[in-house]
Amino acid sequence: MIIKKRIHVAYQLPPGSRWRSMYFWDPVRGCTPISDGCKNCSSARTIGGNLVDKNFHFNGVLEFNRDALNHKFSNAAQVFVCGRSDLFHEKVPFQFVDEVLSRIQARPDCQFFMITKRANRMAEYFGGSEVPKNLWVSVTTENQKYADLRIPHLAKINGIRILSIKPMLGSINFRQACWVVRCRHSRR
């Protein structure tokens, strides 16, 4: 299955605006825990629930869903890329990332969002080149230790950058991000 569910995401929009729908687009399925924040991964926690199907793996096993690359999104769709996996996982070859990015670039009318804990690989991939204007890239961190490791890589990326503090397991001092998001389910 290409899109598991269409979910409603709340945005802080001007009064009178309507809730918007966001698609999860998962050309890669599965992940490997790499830090303290992975113990609280919202995707891993919902296995067997309504949000993620029971076949998702969080044990290092990855599946590449080439059928997803041909999915037709509605006009002006908002799309969360690999929201339940990590496109910059070490086992995902950059050639496959190229294929995903070419689909994103082919749809300038859509807005894509991507999040990773593997900021070093994302920075290596983009290597100083411009991120497509319809793609917002995000790095998630949970405490100062990982912020110090990930934020410098995020700062190297040319595009709309977001620092996601999720889950917040400790205080974080930072200076190099465009937007910061702290999720409600953080413990602090």
Side-chain angles (χ1 to χ4, degrees):
M1 184 180 260
I2 298 166
I3 303 276
K4 307 305 179 271
K5 273 196 183 280
R6 188 171 182 167
I7 63 166
H8 293 284
V9 178
Y11 288 85
Q12 290 185 338
L13 297 172
S17 297
R18 297 165 64 181
W19 289 69
R20 296 191 178 167
S21 295
M22 182 177 283
Y23 290 98
F24 277 100
W25 181 44
D26 294 314
V28 177
R29 295 171 38 150
C31 201
T32 305
I34 62 167
S35 68
D36 300 337
C38 295
K39 296 173 191 165
N40 298 293
C41 176
S42 59
S43 295
R45 277 197 326 263
T46 56
I47 290 177
N50 295 325
L51 193 62
V52 179
D53 77 36
K54 295 176 184 176
N55 296 318
F56 268 68
H57 306 286
F58 292 90
N59 58 6
V61 175
L62 284 121
E63 299 172 13
F64 299 93
N65 185 356
R66 291 201 173 276
D67 292 338
L69 295 175
N70 299 318
H71 183 76
K72 306 285 187 229
F73 295 105
S74 60
N75 291 339
Q78 294 181 334
V79 184
F80 199 153
V81 181
C82 293
R84 294 168 280 208
S85 59
D86 194 332
L87 187 62
F88 293 101
H89 190 286
E90 296 78 16
K91 292 182 180 178
V92 179
F94 281 158
Q95 295 84 355
F96 191 78
V97 178
D98 287 341
E99 291 182 53
V100 172
L101 266 286
S102 72
R103 300 313 192 278
I104 290 171
Q105 290 172 320
R107 291 301 307 268
D109 63 311
C110 295
Q111 182 62 57
F112 294 86
F113 305 88
M114 187 181 295
I115 192 166
T116 185
K117 278 189 169 41
R118 293 160 174 88
N120 58 332
R121 276 204 90 219
M122 184 167 63
E124 178 186 349
Y125 176 79
F126 287 113
S129 61
E130 185 91 12
V131 173
K133 295 199 182 311
N134 62 331
L135 173 62
W136 293 14
V137 294
S138 179
V139 169
T140 184
T141 189
E142 59 272 23
N143 57 31
Q144 192 66 51
K145 172 184 173 183
Y146 291 107
D148 290 345
L149 292 172
R150 296 177 186 149
I151 292 173
H153 294 293
L154 178 63
K156 295 176 190 174
I157 296 173
N158 296 321
I160 297 175
R161 303 173 306 228
I162 301 169
L163 176 62
S164 175
I165 301 173
K166 166 180 151 179
M168 188 171 204
L169 301 178
S171 62
I172 299 174
N173 295 316
F174 55 88
R175 293 186 181 117
Q176 306 173 358
C178 285
W179 291 18
V180 177
V181 177
R182 179 177 172 258
C183 295
R184 281 185 323 147
H185 65 271
S186 294
R187 290 189 287 169
R188 297 179 190 204

